[in-house]
Amino acid sequence: MAPVLKVHELCKAFGAACVLNGLSFHMRQGEVISLVGSSGSGKSTALRCINFLETPSSGEIELMGDAVSAIQNERRETKIVNSANIKVFRRRIGMVFQNFNLWPHRTVLENVTEALIYVLRKRKREAEEVALFELSKVGMAELKHRYPSQLSGGQQQRVAIARVLAMRPKLMLFDEPTSALDPELVGEVLKVIKTLACDGATILLVTHEIRFAREVSNRMIFLHKGIVEQDAVPEELFRNPASEAVNRFLSSVISTAA
Ligand code: ADP
Ligand code: MG
């Protein structure tokens, strides 16, 4: 089967600082990949480049056979080729952020129906049906009339996940979905992500929850200095770290998690 996502030689510089230096990896349908690495290693930038929230300096992203390339000339100016596909990418990719990003003045239900009505042009009744279906998957249907400020962080994140699911994405990106949560609320969000993984969703997950990553991922990609340092099944990464950097990272996260 052809990969769902191909990231090829992705580079991103902010001014003189090169954050991504030729990042390449593939994802198949139904695969769960955790992107790990120390803080500042470019994980968020990689996710943001994949759905073009950030414009790559150079490289190519291919999603289900459609590609967008960034080509740099000798003056380091970037030209985007096939930019019309960016819109297609955004329709197919759902992203869950660390800070939930719910609309504060909309109820739970309205947060989920918003894009269904205004982007997918669904009628309100149909949008609400879809929204309630997804909200019940994450255990939030009963609180549909609440506002985000009336919810815990864990509940807000579950609504944010339902909002993404309602758009039926082909690929889900999670950027540290539990790192803004109080420790006792982390589990409820991880449980939802695990259910999605078991149901066959294709998930690219950035997380510090290393035990969870190990348990839920088909592969783990360790990012270091803006490139893939190791791309392996979890057991292999833990048993046989490819470099001192991987080793150091694993030791530090395991000792803090203990
Ligand atoms: P991670 O998610 O792995 O912690 P990031 O992708 O957020 O890392 O950031 C990688 C590096 O890029 C950091 O040094 C960060 O300061 C820098 N960076 C990220 N976004 C920007 C930006 N918009 N402008 C300038 N520098 C940025
Ligand atoms: Mg980050």
Side-chain angles (χ1 to χ4, degrees), residues 40 43-45 98 175-176 206:
K43 304 178 298 293
S44 296
T45 304
Q98 183 177 345
D175 193 358
E176 299 198 23
V206 172

Side-chain angles (χ1 to χ4, degrees), residues 12-15 17-20 35-48 54 98 175-176 206 208 223:
K12 176 66 184 176
F14 294 105
C18 287
V19 175
L20 301 177
L35 196 57
V36 298
S38 44
S39 178
S41 58
K43 304 178 298 293
S44 296
T45 304
L47 292 191
R48 294 168 61 81
E54 205 77 75
Q98 183 177 345
D175 193 358
E176 299 198 23
V206 172
H208 288 305
L223 207 62

